[in-house]
Amino acid sequence: MEINFIANEIVYEVTEYNSYLVGFADDKNEPKEYVIVERALEFDEQDIKLGMDSYYFEYSDQSNSGYGLCDKVILRQNEIVFSAKHKCMDDITSITVSYNENIIEDVNEYRKMLSNIFGDILIIEQVANKQMKP
């Protein structure tokens, strides 16, 4: 199943708990659909032992959440596509979040944050449809 929603609110920041956080929501105050991705700046022994030494991904509630759930993330001019690993989130195969590009105040910081979270699985597609690694 492919999921699509429009984000009217996007946040990207380094949290007080020393992690990178990017969130997309259809509504700021009462979201019905959202995606949150987060990755610690550093991992301790326990994180590594428990397999939590990756990014955390959550779609709309904790039943669709976990670590390292995507095999590819494609960033385009006004959308981001999260491709789910096989059978990681029930029958969800991809989640496409569309947004008005002027909602992002600092595109470079936004891209850098996503790159820090996803690393090699992030693909940035330019307007001319050229692929570029961050």
Side-chain angles (χ1 to χ4, degrees), residues 17-82:
Y17 304 107
N18 290 325
S19 65
Y20 301 109
L21 172 78
V22 179
F24 306 87
D26 59 354
D27 185 82
K28 182 177 182 173
N29 299 316
E30 294 184 31
K32 291 178 181 57
E33 285 190 288
Y34 66 84
V35 168
I36 295 172
V37 293
E38 189 171 9
R39 183 184 190 105
L41 273 62
E42 294 181 12
F43 299 107
D44 61 24
E45 268 185 52
Q46 184 177 358
D47 292 336
I48 295 167
K49 190 176 182 178
L50 295 173
M52 297 167 54
D53 56 336
S54 182
Y55 60 88
Y56 173 79
F57 182 94
E58 181 175 317
Y59 167 69
S60 292
D61 65 42
Q62 288 186 335
S63 69
N64 292 310
S65 68
Y67 290 86
L69 298 182
C70 298
D71 59 10
K72 177 173 55 174
V73 178
I74 301 172
L75 179 62
R76 297 187 177 116
Q77 185 173 355
N78 59 352
E79 72 179 11
I80 187 166
V81 180
F82 302 95

Side-chain angles (χ1 to χ4, degrees), residues 85-97:
K85 288 181 180 173
H86 184 66
K87 300 288 184 188
C88 278
M89 290 188 284
D90 295 328
D91 58 349
I92 297 173
T93 55
S94 69
I95 300 170
T96 301
V97 182

Side-chain angles (χ1 to χ4, degrees), residues 86-130:
H86 184 66
K87 300 288 184 188
C88 278
M89 290 188 284
D90 295 328
D91 58 349
I92 297 173
T93 55
S94 69
I95 300 170
T96 301
V97 182
S98 302
Y99 49 84
N100 188 327
E101 66 183 278
N102 69 4
I103 200 169
I104 299 169
E105 292 179 20
D106 186 339
V107 172
N108 291 331
E109 185 64 21
Y110 171 68
R111 287 181 178 178
K112 182 180 171 190
M113 195 74 58
L114 289 168
S115 180
N116 288 336
I117 292 171
F118 292 111
D120 290 345
I121 68 167
L122 177 68
I123 298 168
I124 297 175
E125 289 187 355
Q126 300 299 345
V127 177
N129 208 20
K130 294 179 186 172

